[in-house]
Amino acid sequence: MTNNYGPKESCGVFGVFGHEDAAKLTYFGLYALQHRGQESAGIVTSTGTSIHEYKGMGLVPEVFDEAVLNGLHGHIAVGHVRYSTTGSSITKNAQPFLVSYAGKTLAIGHNGNLTNAKRARRNLEQMGSIFQTTMDSEIIVHLLARNLDKGIDEAIVKAVSEIQGAYSCVLMTENKLIAFRDPNGFRPLCLGILNGGYIVASETCALDLIDAAYIRDIEPGEILIISEKGLKSIKPFPKIKRTFCIFELIYFARPDSNIFGKNVYSIRKKLGEMLAKEYPLAADFAMPFPDSGNYAAIGFCHASGIPMEMGVIRNHYVGRTFIEPAQSMRDFGVRVKLNPVRNILNQKRVVIVEDSIIRGTTSNMRIKTLREAGAKEIHMVVSCPPHRYPCYYGIDFSTKGELIACKHTVEEVKNFIGLDSLCYLSLPGMLEATGLEENGFCLACFDGNYPIQPEEGCSKLCLEY
Ligand code: SF4
């Protein structure tokens, strides 16, 4: 699951149709999806005739209070939590993105990244579109607006046929909720029901919190239109090979969610078991850096017979920012969040179970604190292969320079972090642990085989010119 140090997820989306408490349900849904984006949050609602909107920078409970929610009237809602993967982190770029066009109002929340954003935006600008933000999501709205005279169903088919990349979206008009997902199915999106009202969410953990029942996933390439008439599913594209983001299972999604038809907790445990099978190690105990690696560590200990300990304790009450001590205190930022337990670590051979190493700088600081606490040997096992290639589908390592394993061998990474040994799970081991079809995943950040080739210059700030 994302934390303040690891790679960041692009976004979480949530939608409600046909429930009198649409805004409050969306608030709780976003609360459950907070791990997918912590920079901004927003909710847009509709009564069928009037639209209400509230967005802000910060965590969901920082942005909304009771009074704000009470002002968001309506039985339809879309909500969004954002971490910026295209466009800066500023209020203007917070979502859902709301526009009025030719007497119609649209609000969209988008999870993922478009890989043809620059080209698509340039084309639209040449045809007279004026953009308000630097988000790729706005491109979808402009494409929709150009075809609204044909009705929303046809407009949306036309819009999605002109975009490429990763998108799991919720879209609201005055009287409809529309969920759509790219044909590759990079990011998850599911459908649920609560008291006769429909719910759409990035992950099933959001359904659980509001006590909604899971119905099914929105299928890759599907456009699901929810209105007073019920559900209408459109599948306008030929079925192509699915490329679910495997990193959702390893790291991003919440362990209590089921995504791509699998329970995330069980997969992470299995990844840990595979690690133990691939790397038999002699150690006094194994531990995660909470909360990353928790579930892989359970599997690793289970399969290896090495006992599990919590060699560092996480302070759950540290916010995203804190006042730094006046005098510089060594590694304060690390220790304020994770404090080593000296009595447990002293003179021990320790295996750290990690879910990923992206830049390596956080691991380096953390290992230093374990050494200072007296650990005799420190080995690290990682529940996926080295990240050697950038992600263009909505994860925030979009340049090679951000990835330590891109330019360095495993031995060099081991030395940089300060470990006695470092072992990454093999690609076949990772795939076997998922129990899913081998060719149903995107593995591009591990093997460089991009399911959709990004256009040149595709990056987080590519639309800021
Ligand atoms: S490149 Fe990696 S992180 Fe990005 S979608 Fe593919 S598997 Fe997921």
Side-chain angles (χ1 to χ4, degrees), residues 166 186-187 243-248 252 387 389-395 397 441-446 450-451:
F186 285 102
R187 308 266 150 244
T243 54
F244 300 141
C245 170
I246 200 163
F247 209 40
E248 289 272 356
F252 287 118
H387 278 88
Y389 303 90
C391 173
Y392 300 108
Y393 312 123
I395 308 306
F397 42 91
F441 284 112
C442 172
L443 303 168
C445 50
F446 304 114
Y450 290 97

Side-chain angles (χ1 to χ4, degrees), residues 255-384:
D256 48 339
S257 284
N258 292 340
I259 60 164
F260 313 141
K262 292 279 172 182
N263 173 248
V264 176
Y265 182 116
S266 312
I267 300 273
R268 287 187 192 159
K269 196 172 160 203
K270 194 90 192 138
L271 288 162
E273 289 171 5
M274 292 302 294
L275 268 172
K277 213 161 108 184
E278 290 188 3
Y279 301 108
L281 284 165
D284 296 307
F285 67 85
M287 56 172 268
F289 286 124
D291 289 323
S292 63
N294 280 6
Y295 310 95
I298 292 170
F300 180 83
C301 292
H302 180 246
S304 65
I306 296 174
M308 182 159 155
E309 298 281 1
M310 297 307 279
V312 292
I313 301 302
R314 178 174 167 199
N315 183 343
H316 287 267
Y317 304 99
V318 177
R320 287 169 306 152
T321 53
F322 42 80
I323 298 164
E324 295 276 353
Q327 298 239 301
S328 99
M329 283 165 69
R330 213 157 22 95
D331 303 326
F332 179 80
V334 174
R335 279 180 293 121
V336 75
K337 286 175 183 163
L338 292 177
N339 193 33
V341 187
R342 286 172 187 278
N343 299 37
I344 299 276
L345 290 158
N346 197 26
Q347 289 307 306
K348 293 294 188 324
R349 296 166 303 159
V350 183
V351 182
I352 311 289
V353 185
E354 259 296 11
D355 53 16
S356 54
I357 302 172
I358 302 298
R359 294 166 185 85
T361 43
T362 307
S363 303
N364 168 281
M365 289 188 291
R366 288 173 172 178
I367 296 305
K368 255 192 223 156
T369 66
L370 296 192
R371 294 263 182 225
E372 284 165 10
K376 191 166 77 182
E377 284 177 30
I378 308 178
H379 307 271
M380 186 179 279
V381 289
V382 185
S383 63
C384 64

Side-chain angles (χ1 to χ4, degrees), residues 54 86 102 109 136 164 173 184 200 211 219 246 250 254-255 260 270 284 296 305 333 335 409-410 412 414 443 454:
Y54 197 86
T86 305
D136 57 350
Q164 288 165 7
T173 67
N184 294 70
V200 175
D211 222 7
E219 283 183 38
I246 200 163
I250 295 163
R254 252 174 63 162
F260 313 141
K270 194 90 192 138
D284 296 307
R335 279 180 293 121
T409 63
V410 174
E412 286 168 345
K414 179 206 93 176
L443 303 168

Side-chain angles (χ1 to χ4, degrees), residues 61-128:
E62 292 166 353
V63 173
F64 299 98
D65 59 23
E66 194 81 32
V68 167
L69 289 171
N70 287 340
L72 292 169
H73 305 290
H75 62 289
I76 314 174
V78 285
H80 190 267
V81 282
R82 177 166 197 258
Y83 173 77
S84 49
T85 47
T86 305
S88 298
S89 175
I90 48 175
T91 315
K92 189 178 71 161
N93 280 348
Q95 292 193 24
F97 181 66
L98 179 69
V99 283
S100 290
Y101 185 87
K104 294 204 166 36
T105 305
L106 303 170
I108 190 170
H110 169 203
N111 174 205
N113 250 32
L114 303 185
T115 51
N116 65 336
K118 274 175 85 175
R119 199 169 49 242
R121 178 163 165 156
R122 203 167 38 236
N123 290 346
L124 282 162
E125 283 175 335
Q126 278 165 3
M127 289 187 284

